[in-house]
């Protein structure tokens, strides 16, 4: 009954206002890819995306029967996120048996793990997004259970080649294909399997099965590696993302392993109690090495990549590492012995803090509030007006927000719709070839086109204006024949309305004054 109540709370947190927030930029990329066929996904996406097309293919297969509405797209990740909870219940039971715990101790372990997983802010947040993270989390969970099953078979002298090993290898292949850094999870799982198996007891046929299976996984991963290699130069040279080792990074990582702040120290207490308990248990040292490798190796490697090659989004990408961390914390919360009350107290404190953080996140604003932006546009948009999205990726979330609101406004992506692969003159600030920041002569030519001059009011949509339009170059080019009537800013979303000077002019807008105070632009000649 306690487990059912906790799962119900976890389901409620993952479902609460699931379709109330609009898609933000990354989610819009997923929806955009899923709207296309397999030819686009496997021939075009690799030309501008560093991520492999496997997740987009799964999402496209989901969209075919269930539609591409916001509710359907969000339910795809939600389904995997909810399935993670019973999967963790089973994995915790297998883990308890492997370390020799009694039935009552295993039930307490299952309860603690499911409680922490139901409330984990990292797991809740990723379940709600149209991104591959909830799929990665579930696969990582199942892989841990399969490793424990393979280890048990090997210790009993049974051959490990069979359904469990085949399933492990297939899911390993799927995991590395779900994300451009999925190989980090593959490396961690391979090492964890080596820690769990009694390698000296394995028969020759087992070694052949293991080596051949992993070689096959590596060979099938090569196309994904080539995609990553092909996009690496653009990402490393043009990415806007900055990375630094600071306390903010530690707080973000603590979300994976519990909660940020001083209450997060409770995770260290639980990890310490778990280490002590496992030291005395059967296979305890193996399990400790497994869980620590699975929890720490991917983020540590991602941090090293960020410091030496190119920055990556460490915390979002590494959400699946919360699973082994929560398994370890669950052992600390349920371990018998002198530290039992301390472990229970720390778990309750962490769980209460997780729940508070979950509620605050649900009641807080969305990552990018495109619905408010659409409401503002609807109040000012007139017949004949047009939206210019610069960079072009801004069109994606705005398009889906307009669709959700039942509206349809003409949007012109600059230089053209994603992916703008034909453009060879600009730079790529987000590290993708599909999005370009254009030089001034290109922007001037667009502003002087007859089609542009016929638009009464252009609503210039900029995402990250300082990155894509440094010095307000495009704004200045449009401003030559227009004046600013209205503007809107909400986080990175920046919209400026520019009306033809031949039309009625209201009181000057403050941004009009600011723009006039800037130095006159220098006309570049071709």
């Amino acid at each position: 009954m306690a487990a059912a109540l906790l799962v119900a709370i976890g389901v409620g947190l993952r479902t609460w206002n699931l379709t109330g927030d609009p898609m933000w930029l990354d989610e819009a990329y997923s929806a955009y890819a899923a709207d296309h066929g397999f030819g686009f996904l496997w021939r075009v996406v690799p030309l501008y995306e560093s991520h492999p097309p496997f997740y987009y293919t799964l999402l496209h297969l989901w969209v075919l029967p269930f539609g591409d509405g916001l509710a359907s797209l969000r339910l795809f990740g939600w389904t995997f996120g909810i399935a993670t909870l019973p999967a963790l219940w089973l994995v915790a039971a297998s883990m308890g048996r492997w370390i020799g715990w009694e039935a009552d101790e295993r039930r307490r372990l299952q309860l603690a793990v499911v409680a922490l997983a139901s409330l984990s802010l990292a797991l809740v947040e990723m379940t709600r997004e149209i991104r591959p993270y909830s799929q990665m989390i579930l696969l990582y969970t199942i892989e841990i259970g399969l490793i424990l099953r393979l280890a048990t078979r090997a210790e009993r002298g049974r051959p490990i080649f069979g359904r469990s090993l085949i399933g492990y290898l297939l899911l390993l292949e799927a995991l590395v294909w779900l994300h451009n850094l999925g190989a980090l999870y593959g490396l961690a799982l391979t090492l964890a399997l080596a820690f769990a198996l009694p390698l000296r007891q394995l028969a020759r046929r087992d070694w052949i099965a293991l080596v051949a299976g992993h070689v096959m996984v590596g060979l099938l991963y090569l196309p994904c590696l080539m995609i990553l290699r092909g996009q690496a130069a653009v990402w490393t040279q043009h990415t806007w993302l900055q990375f630094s080792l600071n306390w903010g990074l530690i707080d973000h990582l603590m979300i994976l392993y519990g909660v940020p702040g001083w209450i997060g120290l409770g995770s260290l207490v639980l990890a310490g109690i778990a280490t002590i308990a496992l030291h005395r248990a059967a296979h305890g040292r193996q399990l400790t090495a497994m869980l620590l490798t699975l929890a720490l190796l991917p983020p540590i490697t991602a941090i090293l990549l960020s410091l030496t090659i190119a920055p990556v989004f460490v915390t979002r990408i590494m959400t699946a590492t919360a699973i082994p961390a929560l398994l370890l914390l669950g052992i600390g919360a349920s371990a018998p012995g002198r530290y039992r009350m301390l472990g229970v107290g720390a778990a309750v404190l962490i769980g209460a803090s997780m729940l508070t953080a979950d509620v605050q996140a649900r009641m807080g604003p969305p990552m990018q509030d495109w619905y408010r932006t659409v409401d503002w546009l609807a109040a000012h948009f007139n017949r004949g007006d047009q939206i210019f999205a610069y960079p072009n990726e801004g069109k994606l979330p705005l398009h889906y927000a307009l669709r959700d609101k039942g509206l349809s406004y003409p949007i012109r992506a600059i230089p053209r719709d994603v992916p703008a692969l034909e453009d060879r003159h600009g730079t790529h600030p987000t590290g993708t070839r599909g999005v370009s920041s254009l030089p001034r002569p290109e922007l001037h030519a667009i502003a002087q086109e007859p089609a542009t001059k016929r638009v009464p009011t252009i609503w210039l949509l900029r995402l990250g204006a300082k990155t894509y339009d440094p010095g307000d170059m495009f704004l200045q080019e449009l401003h030559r024949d227009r004046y600013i009537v209205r503007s809107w800013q909400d986080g990175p979303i920046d919209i400026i309305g520019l009306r033809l000077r031949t039309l009625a002019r209201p009181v000057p807008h403050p941004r009009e004054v600011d723009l006039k105070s800037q130095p006159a632009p220098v006309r570049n000649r071709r």
Side-chain angles (χ1 to χ4, degrees):
M1 291 178 61
L5 176 61
L6 290 167
V7 169
I9 294 174
V11 172
L13 291 172
R14 288 158 172 80
T15 312
W16 182 0
N17 200 31
L18 184 64
T19 59
D21 293 341
M23 297 184 206
W24 66 291
L25 179 60
D26 287 15
E27 290 183 301
Y29 264 106
S30 298
Y32 174 75
D35 283 340
H36 292 76
F38 298 111
F40 179 88
L41 294 176
W42 289 90
R43 290 198 301 266
V44 180
V45 168
L47 298 178
Y48 70 94
E49 271 266 23
S50 60
H51 298 300
F54 181 55
Y55 167 72
Y56 301 132
T57 302
L58 295 178
L59 189 58
H60 176 69
L61 292 173
W62 172 273
V63 163
L64 291 178
F66 298 111
D68 62 351
L70 179 62
S72 172
L73 292 170
R74 286 262 167 84
L75 280 173
F76 184 60
W78 181 90
T79 302
F80 284 84
I82 297 301
T84 299
L85 298 178
L88 269 173
W89 178 269
L90 298 175
V91 171
S94 298
M95 192 170 62
R97 285 191 295 269
W98 199 50
I99 59 178
W101 279 14
E102 300 294 334
D104 290 342
E105 295 169 341
R106 294 199 300 270
R107 292 192 189 97
R108 288 196 295 269
L109 172 60
Q110 290 175 286
L111 187 62
V113 169
V114 170
L116 294 172
S118 296
L119 302 175
S120 169
L121 180 62
L123 299 187
V124 170
E125 288 295 318
M126 293 303 103
T127 295
R128 301 169 57 86
E129 291 208 356
I130 311 170
R131 296 300 288 165
Y133 305 120
S134 62
Q135 290 77 23
M136 297 170 69
I137 291 168
L138 177 59
L139 294 189
Y140 212 46
T141 303
I142 298 174
E143 288 288 74
I144 295 173
L146 291 174
I147 288 175
L148 295 173
R149 179 173 295 185
L150 290 171
T152 301
R153 290 181 61 88
E155 289 161 3
R156 294 175 179 175
R158 300 171 62 183
I160 62 173
F161 181 75
R163 289 179 298 178
S164 296
L165 180 60
I166 294 174
Y168 167 83
L169 294 172
L170 288 175
L171 294 184
L172 180 63
E173 190 70 60
L175 185 57
V176 298
W177 269 90
L178 275 172
H179 197 276
N180 59 3
L181 293 183
L184 301 185
Y185 288 107
L187 175 62
L189 285 168
T190 302
L191 291 177
L193 180 63
F195 286 131
L197 290 176
L199 298 179
R200 296 181 180 180
Q201 300 177 22
L202 294 183
R204 181 179 179 183
R205 59 183 179 182
D206 292 333
W207 276 106
I208 294 175
L210 281 173
V211 173
H214 283 83
V215 169
M216 184 63 65
V217 170
L219 291 175
L220 293 176
Y221 175 69
L222 285 178
C224 182
L225 187 62
M226 297 304 294
I227 294 173
L228 180 60
R229 181 182 177 184
Q231 302 299 326
V234 179
W235 177 261
T236 56
Q237 295 173 13
H238 299 288
T239 178
W240 57 270
L241 184 62
Q242 301 294 321
F243 180 84
S244 62
L245 293 174
N246 51 38
W247 289 108
L249 174 63
I250 295 177
D251 278 344
H252 283 294
L253 290 175
M254 286 303 297
I255 293 176
L256 302 179
Y257 308 133
V259 290
W262 67 269
I263 297 179
L265 297 176
S267 297
L268 297 178
V269 172
L270 291 179
I273 296 174
T275 302
I276 295 172
L278 290 174
H279 184 73
R280 299 191 299 266
H283 306 114
R285 295 182 180 180
Q286 293 169 270
L287 184 59
T288 302
M290 270 183 56
L291 296 179
L292 290 178
T293 298
L294 293 170
L296 298 178
L297 180 61
I300 289 175
T301 308
I303 290 172
L304 292 176
L305 288 174
S306 298
L307 291 173
T308 57
I309 301 177
V312 297
F313 296 96
V314 175
T315 50
R316 295 181 62 81
I317 296 172
M318 297 295 114
T319 310
T321 61
I323 294 299
L326 293 176
L327 288 171
L328 187 64
L329 299 187
I331 293 173
S334 58
R338 68 177 71 178
Y339 302 112
R340 181 176 178 181
M341 294 307 298
L342 178 61
V344 172
V348 170
L349 183 64
I350 292 173
S353 181
M354 285 179 172
L355 180 59
T356 302
D358 286 322
V359 173
Q360 290 176 344
R362 298 287 67 77
M363 298 181 69
M367 185 172 296
Q368 295 173 358
D369 200 342
W370 289 96
Y371 287 161
R372 286 184 62 205
T373 299
V374 167
D375 291 340
W376 180 85
L377 271 173
H380 305 295
F381 202 88
N382 296 310
R383 183 184 298 274
D385 291 354
Q386 193 170 357
I387 300 168
F388 278 28
Y390 180 62
N392 56 353
E393 65 182 5
K395 178 180 178 178
L396 300 180
L398 178 60
H399 163 76
Y400 289 109
L402 286 168
R403 184 194 67 176
D404 295 341
K405 290 283 189 175
L407 298 172
S408 178
Y409 294 156
I411 306 174
R412 177 180 175 181
I414 306 297
R416 57 189 60 82
D417 285 345
V418 174
L421 298 174
E422 297 84 0
D423 177 70
R424 302 299 181 193
H425 307 291
T427 59
H428 311 285
T430 57
T432 168
R433 290 190 177 96
V435 184
S436 296
S437 179
L438 301 179
R440 186 157 214 141
E442 299 276 344
L443 299 174
H444 175 75
I446 294 173
Q448 297 302 313
E449 289 177 0
T452 302
K453 290 180 173 293
R454 286 194 297 267
V455 180
T457 302
I458 292 175
W459 300 92
L460 177 60
L461 166 63
R462 303 189 295 180
L463 273 182
K466 292 183 179 179
T467 301
Y468 278 97
D469 196 13
D472 293 329
M473 289 191 299
F474 196 31
L475 176 58
Q476 290 179 4
E477 292 298 333
L478 292 173
H479 187 258
R480 293 175 185 273
D481 304 314
R482 300 173 180 270
Y483 60 91
I484 298 176
V485 288
R486 298 184 187 277
S487 66
W488 166 267
Q489 284 186 299
D490 187 3
I493 304 172
D494 182 20
I495 298 182
I496 302 171
L498 296 120
R499 183 174 297 171
L500 287 173
R501 296 186 183 275
T502 55
L503 300 178
R505 180 178 186 133
V507 177
H509 189 277
R511 294 184 75 165
E512 173 96 3
V513 177
D514 293 340
L515 190 61
K516 284 186 175 181
S517 65
Q518 296 181 12
V522 178
R523 179 73 61 88
N524 290 325
R525 295 185 177 180
R526 291 181 179 274

